[in-house]
Amino acid sequence: MPQTRPAKPTDIPGILALQNRNLLSNLSEAEQKNGFVTTAFTVAQIEVLMADGGVFVAVEASANDQSETVIGYALAGTWAFFAQWPIFPFMLARLPALHFEGQAITEANSFQYGPVCIDAAYRGQGVFPRLFETMRLGMCERYPIGVTFINRLNPHSYHAHTKKLGMTVIDEFEFNGRPYYGLAFDMARSVLGGAVL
């Protein structure tokens, strides 16, 4: 059974390899139907997030040589970090008009979650909710609300986040001619059985 934990520097090559195998620009139209990653991260960007405690992995241990293979990752960080990609300042500018469970969403009380990716061979086996839960526990003391976006052309990701994790759609928008959902989630609520911290 794969384990989930905060990432270590030695996980970066595995994260990049998994990212590249699932990057939208590297997939055929048929492959895209099973989900994809839109945002490509560099080693330096992952290192910055890791230093801030925002990189989480699912790993499969090898039985014979004690090595681990990264089979999933989830990234999370501040709006300031993610501002280097133009879609995030656009989303941030929309926050004042949005609410989640009666609460205003601000740059101070929320963070950006994603991208997240699970190796195709491990999807549907419960890795995704456990990886998300590891990320939630790593970030919940700092933020009460998590925010993410999903390309509306990625129904696989939409289903996973709304049905498996119970995220709420709080926004719909277009950016660079592409349609997106904006979603929010309560950081105090576990996705593993619905328990609250």
Side-chain angles (χ1 to χ4, degrees), residues 18-151:
L18 184 57
Q19 169 184 270
N20 291 337
R21 288 197 306 273
N22 291 277
L23 204 56
L24 176 62
S25 57
N26 294 341
L27 299 175
S28 70
E29 200 170 307
E31 290 170 327
Q32 292 173 19
K33 290 186 168 82
N34 294 318
F36 53 83
V37 174
T38 306
T39 308
F41 280 67
T42 65
V43 170
Q45 289 164 339
I46 293 171
E47 287 173 341
V48 169
L49 268 190
M50 195 176 288
D52 196 36
V55 184
F56 307 87
V57 292
V59 294
E60 183 74 272
S62 170
N64 50 12
D65 65 3
Q66 298 184 332
S67 66
E68 293 179 323
T69 301
V70 174
I71 56 96
Y73 67 84
L75 307 181
T78 64
W79 289 97
F81 170 82
F82 277 96
Q84 59 193 294
W85 290 278
I87 192 170
F88 296 102
F90 179 83
M91 289 173 63
L92 187 60
R94 295 175 67 83
L95 287 187
L98 304 175
H99 288 78
F100 173 65
E101 297 184 351
Q103 191 173 358
I105 305 172
T106 68
E107 184 173 1
N109 73 2
S110 67
F111 72 101
Q112 170 61 36
Y113 151 76
V116 60
C117 183
I118 305 296
D119 187 277
Y122 289 86
R123 292 176 191 163
Q125 299 178 32
V127 175
F128 175 51
R130 289 190 296 111
L131 178 59
F132 181 85
E133 182 70 359
T134 300
M135 180 281 304
R136 185 188 71 80
L137 292 171
M139 302 293 286
C140 67
E141 290 186 12
R142 291 183 272 172
Y143 302 99
I145 300 171
V147 175
T148 194
F149 73 94
I150 295 173
N151 188 314

